[in-house]
């Protein structure tokens, strides 16, 4: 192993520990947290450690931890793609023709059309339920639909229906999900 791999191990151990500290602070103090530090460590490569801490110790999704979850997961996927590219798992010449994926694989376009429609409808139903004071669709469900490909439908619903536009885990989270999906799409286009 080289210096870079040792760095990744160290920064991810730090990300793991910081997420546990952050979780403890949220549970035992009124306003204490280390979100900013956790964000920096995640951006520096520690997102896998933070994600592992979430999966092992903090599975319950609540509004207070939703933004950090969306951020850590998106950053992890982006960093995973960058790591694979660093390790040489890409084509010799990089291709940025994203539309090529859709023209060569029509089923991808069909899937994205369906999942974006489903996501838009889910946001619309949640908006109608909010107005009528009825049972709501879970935040995890709306973000999950966005994560698996429905992010454009979610973004469109947010601003056309004026729904969830004050919640950072949607206003920041969905654009971050879109960025992550573009990075993954570019990587898929350039797999060697």
């Amino acid at each position: 192993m080289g210096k870079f791999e040792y760095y990744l191990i160290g920064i991810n151990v730090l990300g793991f520990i910081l997420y546990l500290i952050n979780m403890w602070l949220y549970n035992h103090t009124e306003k204490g947290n280390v979100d900013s530090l956790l964000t920096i460590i995640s951006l520096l490569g520690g997102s896998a450690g933070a994600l592992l801490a979430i999966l092992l110790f903090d599975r319950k999704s609540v509004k207070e931890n939703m933004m950090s979850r969306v951020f850590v997961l998106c950053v992890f996927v982006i960093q995973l793609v960058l790591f694979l590219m660093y390790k040489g798992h890409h084509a010799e010449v990089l291709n940025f023709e994203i539309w090529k994926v859709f023209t060569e694989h029509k089923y991808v376009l069909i899937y994205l059309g369906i999942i974006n429609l489903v996501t838009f409808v889910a946001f619309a139903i949640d908006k109608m339920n909010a107005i009528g004071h009825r049972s709501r669709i879970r935040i995890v469900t709306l973000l999950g639909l966005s994560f698996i490909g429905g992010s454009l439908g979610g973004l469109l619903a947010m601003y056309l229906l004026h729904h969830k536009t004050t919640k950072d885990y949607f206003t920041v989270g969905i654009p971050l999900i879109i960025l992550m999906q573009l990075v993954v799409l570019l990587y898929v286009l350039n797999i060697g």
Side-chain angles (χ1 to χ4, degrees):
M1 277 196 310
K3 289 180 184 179
F4 182 66
E5 286 79 9
Y6 284 117
Y7 166 79
L8 285 178
I9 291 169
I11 198 80
N12 279 292
V13 168
L14 187 57
F16 182 86
I17 292 167
L18 270 178
Y19 191 89
L20 293 179
I21 291 169
N22 202 42
M23 184 179 76
W24 186 87
L25 288 171
Y26 267 113
N27 291 333
H28 294 90
T29 64
E30 194 165 312
K31 296 235 182 216
N33 62 58
V34 289
D35 280 340
S36 299
L37 187 56
L38 185 60
T39 299
I40 292 167
I41 294 301
S42 292
L43 286 172
L44 291 174
S47 60
L51 185 60
L52 183 61
I54 290 169
L55 293 173
L56 292 176
F57 300 109
D58 194 21
R59 290 191 209 139
K60 185 172 184 196
S61 298
V62 292
K63 290 179 182 181
E64 291 77 25
N65 68 14
M66 198 57 64
M67 185 61 221
S68 63
R69 289 167 179 269
V70 170
F71 179 80
V72 166
L73 185 58
C74 288
V75 169
F76 170 73
V77 171
I78 291 169
Q79 289 174 345
L80 181 62
V81 167
L82 292 175
F83 181 75
L84 290 171
M85 291 190 76
Y86 168 76
K87 287 297 193 176
H89 300 282
H90 58 81
E92 290 295 318
V93 178
L94 295 180
N95 181 0
F96 295 97
E97 299 171 2
I98 293 175
W99 195 253
K100 190 175 182 181
V101 172
F102 302 123
T103 57
E104 291 179 1
H105 307 286
K106 302 260 190 239
Y107 59 88
V108 173
L109 192 57
I110 293 167
Y111 169 76
L112 288 175
I114 292 169
I115 194 65
N116 278 286
L117 180 63
V118 167
T119 305
F120 185 91
V121 169
F123 272 78
I125 290 169
D126 190 54
K127 172 72 174 188
M128 289 186 293
N129 288 352
I131 292 170
H133 303 289
R134 293 184 298 270
S135 179
R136 305 283 300 277
I137 296 175
R138 295 180 63 214
I139 295 166
V140 171
T141 303
L142 296 174
L143 286 169
L145 287 168
S146 298
F147 190 83
I148 63 170
S151 55
L152 293 177
L155 191 66
L156 191 62
M158 280 174 51
Y159 292 105
L160 285 179
L161 305 173
H162 304 287
H163 187 51
K164 301 289 189 187
T165 56
T166 60
K167 309 296 183 196
D168 64 350
Y169 40 86
F170 284 102
T171 58
V172 175
I174 290 191
L176 187 59
I177 290 170
I178 291 171
L179 175 65
M180 177 214 53
Q181 290 167 340
L182 284 173
V183 168
V184 169
L185 194 58
L186 282 170
Y187 181 68
V188 167
L189 188 62
N190 288 291
I191 292 177

